[in-house]
Amino acid sequence: MPSKKALVRRPSPRFAEGVVTRPALDVARAVAQWEAYGEALRAHGWQTLEVEPADHCPEAAFVEDTVVVFRNVALIARPGTESRRPETAGVEEAVARLGASVNWVWEPGTLDGGDVLKVGDTLYVGRGGRTNAAGVRQLRATFEPLGARVVAVPVNRVHHLKSAVTALPDGTVIGYEPLVDTPGLFPRFLPVPEESGAQVLLLGGDRLLMAASAPRSADLLADLGWDPVLVDLGEFEKREGRVTCLSVRLRELYG
């Protein structure tokens, strides 16, 4: 049977350090929100597995950026922000323990996992500030032999592709249009009315984990027949963190 495992990593005590684009961060509140996020995953049948903490890395909770997994193969990222590269070691150990075949992005390539959106066997990869052309080529070389189709997407308005778009279970890509460079690259694109409404995490069936800060987007998707489950991620949103950033969902690992 396909797995429902999710890698998560506890926020660093230094979470408030680094580039903060919005008001000052409350680390204790961020930890409480992270714990509620994990509870929401578990309530919908997901097994959460904590990656070894990286307390020296302020952004380590954004564990999705460290790896891309397709089928049973993991590609360890080489983050575009050099200070984040130490985050990958613990994740590499975690996916190896779970039986994934491990590959790596090598210099001069850079690749952030948050730049990769999987829709079926298509991998959309954001080419922008965090992921470079060499990283895109290495993603292709790793996953196209496994049957993936890799499509590069320009990213100029946000840090990561998945800060602008994600996808519904039926493959429709949703996004906050002012932040999407080329919505026409996606076969089906649905605009949503709020920036934080552009991210959904597929819990299974019709259920979508979404940020509580996007009630109009949740109403829109509910009206279309989906079942939004809302979580408060306000402290993470201050750093452009989204509902997908805080976990690596492993759906294709087999025991």
Side-chain angles (χ1 to χ4, degrees), residues 7-9 49-54 56-57 60 63 66-67 76 84-98:
L7 301 181
V8 294
R9 180 182 258 157
L49 305 170
E50 281 199 44
V51 176
E52 183 179 354
H56 57 295
C57 298
V63 67
T66 60
V67 65
I76 303 301
R84 297 197 63 191
R85 291 175 190 168
E87 297 175 24
T88 63
V91 174
E92 179 180 336
E93 293 174 7
V95 295
R97 282 198 305 269
L98 290 170

Side-chain angles (χ1 to χ4, degrees), residues 103-133:
N103 296 260
W104 299 266
V105 176
W106 300 105
E107 189 178 1
T110 62
L111 176 76
D112 277 21
D115 270 325
V116 180
L117 172 63
K118 289 181 281 187
V119 183
D121 287 340
T122 298
L123 303 184
Y124 294 101
V125 54
R127 166 66 180 96
R130 303 295 176 89
T131 296
N132 65 15

Side-chain angles (χ1 to χ4, degrees), residues 119-172:
V119 183
D121 287 340
T122 298
L123 303 184
Y124 294 101
V125 54
R127 166 66 180 96
R130 303 295 176 89
T131 296
N132 65 15
V136 173
R137 287 193 292 269
Q138 292 182 47
L139 184 78
R140 284 198 177 104
T142 302
F143 293 130
E144 284 188 342
L146 304 178
R149 172 175 171 260
V150 175
V151 178
V153 178
V155 172
N156 297 298
R157 304 177 190 181
V158 288
H159 291 149
H160 294 121
L161 176 64
K162 289 173 76 173
S163 296
V165 295
T166 54
L168 297 172
D170 66 3
T172 300

